[in-house]
Amino acid sequence: MQGSNTVAKPLHPLQWTNGPSGKAAEFNDNNSINLGQTGDYDHNQAFGFSFWIKPPKTKSASIISKMDVQNKHRGYNFYIEDRQLVIHISNETPKRALKARTNTQLDTDSWTHVIVSYNGSGQRNGLKIFINGEAQRLKTLINSLKDSKERSIKNKAPFLIGARHDGYDFNGGALLNLVIHEKHITNDDAFAISLDQMLKHRGDHHKLGDKPMEAAQAYYFESIDPKSKATYAEIAQLNKSKVDLQKHGHYSLVMQEKSNSAPSAQILIRGQYNVKDEEILSAGTPASLPPMTDTMPKNRLGLGIWLTDPANPLPARVTVNRYWGYIFGRGIVESVGDFGVMGTRPTHPKLLDWLTVDFVENGWDIQHLIRTIVNSSTYRQSAVLSAEKMANDPDNNYFSRGPRYRLDAEQIRDLALSASGLLRKQLGGPSVKPYQPEKIWESVAMPTSNTRFYKRDSGDKLYRRSMYTFWKRTAHHPTMDILNAPAREVTCVQRELTNTPLQAFVVMNDPQFIECSRNSPTKPSKMAKPRANAPTGLPSDCSAARSLRMKSKSSKKPTRRPSPDSRTSQIRQKNWSL
């Protein structure tokens, strides 16, 4: 093992015998070699061994082992049974383990060069055994490690040569040139390693063909030449660091433009995929909108630059309208998902223009946009519906009263948790599984699915914000479903808001809401008063907007909130500054 300074500790003084290329260790009288915590690998790490072996005549004998038999056989063991080689990697046998054996039987009266390799994948095809440089067909005995969440094979048992933690001594056998490889051994690697040993055993007169010569050269530069050997060692260390980094996260697919062709498309005649127009279209933007400039590349980066270009009137307006609709229950353009000819006209076009320009001038700052809207007198006015407002503005098209609509599903749950003092405001972390009726996942899950059974969390995980709730696409949370949360199987531009008896039933009977009710304070807290110097409205155009901002910064006098009656008369006069 390269770089290791571990001292070998044989149980008894070693006996030596002649081997293929030197003296070999002979094992008798239950003797074994203890290397401590050498080879302490986990299930996601690649490793392997190579050695000369003269098998014992016993039925079963352990060659290499780092396995804690008393801890559910956790670890790995390479042994010989009925003259066949067996590799065993286990977290808990037989529930979470890999086990395979060769079909070839070894000759107990001659020396054989053996290589065993594991690539760290947790899968059966990650196991390989080579005999005299040739890959062996393996028979699978156990293959249950890859389907388990808990797969660690680390243990505190010592690394033993010639025995296992509970026996299976290598009595009558001999080993020579045992090497530990901290990498996955490929077919070419195995051939080169075996070839090197064969040459040492048979002499330099052994002639090679083209393919063996290439494998021998690869082995020379990786294991013999000092400079290239150091380079390969550095590569191995980088790969190990890469594996360590991958343990802390998950893969995310990222799209990339084709480098060998320009982006193009063809119009499908009447939408038929096999009837294409002869004209080939190049990448571009709709003619009704500003064109992409010469500095904008024709790819996703250029599209992003074009979308956020101040000269583009659409994206900022759509964004502003969407947040306005989210806050007021309806947008300035009511069809939030459609700004085209089929969409509705804006009720306050100048207001939409001013908010858009202000949004862009402030660097597309969402927080600034929301603060501007909620500090306006339009948002802060009473939501009470008077007879006059009912007659003049029954649907609140002109925002003559404050917003009053049902919250979204996640907000309802979070509001209940917050009001009861149970909400945990921790940021980030893995998904959680709060209260949910039993046997919902089981009815839709596949038999081998790792989300077949719902195991509810406990403690603070029950009270985290709803955005951290584990979401199973085919069986999402029933409370969220009843409260109109989308299933996420398809894209949802705008959620539906309904009020049904079933929703009231959920709020009165769901364990989460019952627990919130029991923990709620007996006396309601006082509502926070609005700031006295908050802006009172949204001006009619951009110049007035700048004037209002300058005045609000310099003036310290509290502004007076307009009465609902005066505001209604303003609406009738079509004054867009609400």
Side-chain angles (χ1 to χ4, degrees):
M1 180 178 178
Q2 296 179 358
S4 176
N5 295 320
T6 304
V7 178
K9 299 178 180 178
L11 190 62
H12 308 297
L14 290 175
Q15 298 179 2
W16 302 94
T17 186
N18 293 325
S21 57
K23 293 293 183 179
E26 189 174 22
F27 293 82
N28 292 300
D29 300 327
N30 299 335
N31 197 8
S32 62
I33 301 174
N34 187 330
L35 293 180
Q37 290 303 307
T38 298
D40 189 23
Y41 303 112
D42 209 343
H43 70 282
N44 57 358
Q45 293 178 277
F47 60 92
F49 310 97
S50 63
F51 50 86
W52 285 98
I53 180 174
K54 188 176 183 180
K57 299 184 183 299
T58 55
K59 179 178 176 60
S60 297
S62 177
I63 304 170
I64 299 169
S65 173
K66 194 179 187 307
M67 176 173 284
D68 191 348
V69 179
Q70 298 178 352
N71 185 18
K72 303 174 182 178
H73 288 80
R74 175 170 292 190
Y76 58 86
N77 185 22
F78 187 58
Y79 61 98
I80 186 168
E81 186 173 48
D82 292 329
R83 294 190 297 149
Q84 295 171 315
L85 297 171
V86 182
I87 181 171
H88 183 195
I89 298 175
S90 169
N91 168 266
E92 178 183 349
T93 300
K95 292 182 179 180
R96 296 181 288 271
L98 288 176
K99 194 173 185 179
R101 68 168 172 80
T102 61
N103 295 320
T104 304
Q105 291 184 323
L106 302 184
D107 186 1
T108 57
D109 295 324
S110 62
W111 286 92
T112 304
H113 191 261
V114 173
I115 299 174
V116 56
S117 176
Y118 170 64
N119 67 358
S121 65
Q123 300 183 19
R124 156 62 188 82
N125 57 14
L127 298 175
K128 289 186 177 181
I129 297 177
F130 302 87
I131 296 178
N132 292 330
E134 296 183 4
Q136 302 296 304
R137 299 187 67 176
L138 302 180
K139 180 179 181 180
T140 303
L141 303 179
I142 302 175
N143 186 16
S144 57
L145 187 63
K146 64 177 180 180
D147 298 327
S148 306
K149 288 184 178 180
E150 175 57 43
R151 294 185 286 177
S152 177
I153 63 172
K154 280 183 170 287
N155 61 83
K156 296 182 180 180
F159 183 95
L160 297 178
I161 302 174
R164 200 171 72 175
H165 196 44
D166 60 339
Y168 287 89
D169 299 289
F170 198 64
N171 289 330
L175 296 173
L176 174 66
N177 288 350
L178 173 61
V179 180
I180 302 176
H181 303 271
E182 293 188 314
K183 67 170 190 175
H184 170 55
I185 301 175
T186 64
N187 290 7
D188 290 339
D189 294 335
F191 182 83
I193 294 171
S194 297
L195 180 63
D196 176 71
Q197 294 297 314
M198 296 296 180
L199 290 175
K200 291 179 181 178
H201 177 43
R202 298 178 183 176
D204 296 338
H205 61 278
H206 190 71
K207 294 184 179 180
L208 303 177
D210 293 338
K211 186 175 179 180
M213 179 60 74
E214 291 177 2
Q217 288 174 347
Y219 176 72
Y220 171 79
F221 286 114
E222 185 173 348
S223 303
I224 307 299
D225 182 69
K227 292 184 179 180
S228 60
K229 184 177 178 182
T231 303
Y232 276 103
E234 183 179 358
I235 294 173
Q237 183 61 38
L238 291 174
N239 289 332
K240 184 179 179 181
S241 301
K242 179 182 176 182
V243 171
D244 293 338
L245 287 174
Q246 290 172 345
K247 284 196 241 179
H248 300 290
H250 302 279
Y251 284 102
S252 179
L253 299 179
V254 178
M255 296 181 67
Q256 185 176 5
E257 290 80 8
K258 293 181 178 179
S259 58
N260 56 354
S261 63
S264 62
Q266 289 178 272
I267 296 177
L268 305 180
I269 305 301
R270 301 183 64 84
Q272 299 184 53
Y273 72 93
N274 59 343
V275 183
K276 299 179 180 180
D277 190 17
E278 294 181 358
E279 182 183 3
I280 298 178
L281 305 176
S282 59
T285 56
S288 58
L289 295 173
M292 298 179 70
T293 64
D294 295 336
T295 59
M296 298 178 184
K298 298 300 187 291
N299 53 27
R300 289 178 297 150
L301 174 60
L303 178 62
I305 297 173
W306 176 81
L307 287 173
T308 55
D309 188 356
N312 191 339
L314 187 59
R317 277 174 170 74
V318 172
T319 304
V320 167
N321 187 67
R322 192 177 298 278
Y323 278 98
W324 181 280
Y326 188 73
I327 293 172
F328 283 92
R330 58 175 296 145
I332 299 173
V333 177
E334 186 176 2
S335 55
V336 175
D338 189 353
F339 263 57
V341 295
M342 300 300 292
T344 58
R345 298 289 297 173
T347 56
H348 303 72
K350 292 185 179 180
L351 173 61
L352 181 59
D353 289 344
W354 181 85
L355 283 172
T356 300
V357 172
D358 183 69
F359 179 51
V360 174
E361 287 181 349
N362 285 276
W364 297 70
D365 188 343
I366 301 292
Q367 191 176 31
H368 170 81
L369 172 64
I370 294 175
R371 186 185 293 112
T372 302
I373 295 175
V374 300
N375 279 338
S376 68
S377 58
T378 306
Y379 177 79
R380 294 165 57 194
Q381 64 185 326
S382 172
V384 175
L385 178 63
S386 64
E388 183 180 4
K389 294 178 181 179
M390 183 64 187
N392 296 326
D393 190 20
D395 296 327
N396 202 27
N397 289 329
Y398 300 107
F399 307 105
S400 60
R401 58 185 179 274
R404 183 176 65 180
Y405 61 95
R406 206 209 76 198
L407 297 176
D408 288 332
E410 295 88 348
Q411 292 175 323
I412 293 175
R413 178 178 174 274
D414 291 352
L415 180 63
L417 289 171
S418 178
S420 63
L422 293 174
L423 183 65
R424 298 298 181 263
K425 298 182 180 181
Q426 174 192 348
L427 297 179
S431 299
V432 296
K433 297 176 182 176
Y435 296 102
Q436 175 177 301
E438 297 180 353
K439 297 184 179 180
I440 291 180
W441 286 13
E442 290 89 327
S443 60
V444 298
M446 299 292 289
T448 58
S449 173
N450 60 354
T451 58
R452 184 180 180 186
F453 302 101
Y454 186 87
K455 184 178 180 181
R456 189 185 72 198
D457 286 326
S458 59
D460 288 349
K461 292 183 178 180
L462 294 174
Y463 313 114
R464 298 203 64 191
R465 293 171 62 191
S466 300
M467 67 177 295
Y468 295 109
T469 299
F470 188 96
W471 202 275
K472 185 177 175 68
R473 189 171 56 182
T474 56
H476 57 297
H477 198 280
T479 298
M480 300 292 106
D481 184 23
I482 293 171
L483 294 173
N484 301 125
R488 302 188 188 180
E489 291 180 301
V490 294
T491 302
C492 176
V493 178
Q494 188 174 9
R495 293 190 180 192
E496 294 182 353
L497 291 179
T498 61
N499 290 286
T500 66
L502 185 58
Q503 292 170 351
F505 180 82
V506 167
V507 174
M508 289 189 295
N509 292 274
D510 189 289
Q512 191 85 78
F513 290 99
I514 293 175
E515 195 167 358
C516 291
S517 175
R518 289 173 178 170
N519 285 272
S520 296
T522 55
K523 295 182 180 181
S525 59
K526 294 182 180 180
M527 294 294 291
K529 295 181 179 180
R531 292 185 298 141
N533 61 345
T536 58
L538 295 170
S540 57
D541 53 40
C542 294
S543 60
R546 298 188 185 95
S547 175
L548 174 64
R549 287 202 295 269
M550 295 298 294
K551 290 179 180 179
S552 64
K553 289 181 180 178
S554 60
S555 175
K556 296 184 178 179
K557 295 181 180 180
T559 52
R560 183 177 178 182
R561 184 175 178 178
S563 65
D565 294 336
S566 66
R567 187 168 303 285
T568 304
S569 79
Q570 292 176 8
I571 292 169
R572 286 200 297 269
Q573 296 171 10
K574 295 186 178 180
N575 188 334
W576 303 120
S577 65
L578 301 181

